[in-house]
Amino acid sequence: FALGERIGLAWLKEQIDALPTDAHWHAVARATLRDTSFALQRKITGAVLASQKGPATARVESWLAGRRGDVANLDGLLADLRSGAGADFATLSVALQSVRRLAGE
């Protein structure tokens, strides 16, 4: 959970849950974004756990340190969204693409 908080997945999931679903395809799109976010968190968590032995905090920090560029890109994108760029289907899809790169996909 600390990893999800650190890379912004918890916030992204909140934004996904807040998306309006006025039409059937909006509901489908929101469910797809939600499923993608959970799948990416599982993949990243597995990679962190497999990366080394030791306390979870040390594993997370070590894994993140090896991906500084991707983490910085994601941090910048999330800062833009939080500062008022707005979270909608398009921006959240782009944000999850950035998480996907961090996951090595």
Side-chain angles (χ1 to χ4, degrees):
F1 293 106
L3 176 62
E5 286 291 333
R6 167 57 188 91
I7 64 173
L9 272 175
W11 183 83
L12 282 172
K13 288 175 188 173
E14 290 172 9
Q15 302 311 301
I16 291 167
D17 288 341
L19 287 170
T21 56
D22 301 334
H24 169 73
W25 290 111
H26 287 150
V28 171
R30 184 177 73 177
T32 300
L33 291 174
R34 186 181 299 125
D35 290 348
T36 299
S37 71
F38 285 121
L40 288 169
Q41 184 155 11
R42 277 191 304 276
K43 182 172 183 169
I44 291 171
T45 300
V48 169
L49 291 174
S51 67
Q52 66 181 29
K53 298 205 182 286
T57 304
R59 290 180 188 199
V60 167
E61 291 307 317
S62 175
W63 190 85
L64 290 171
R67 289 149 186 84
R68 282 192 180 106
D70 289 332
V71 171
N73 288 336
L74 179 58
D75 287 345
L77 188 145
L78 293 178
D80 285 348
L81 291 178
R82 287 177 173 146
S83 71
D88 58 18
F89 287 99
T91 57
L92 292 171
S93 293
V94 170
L96 287 177
Q97 183 61 33
S98 187
V99 175
R100 192 173 279 113
R101 279 191 296 278
L102 184 61
E105 289 191 2

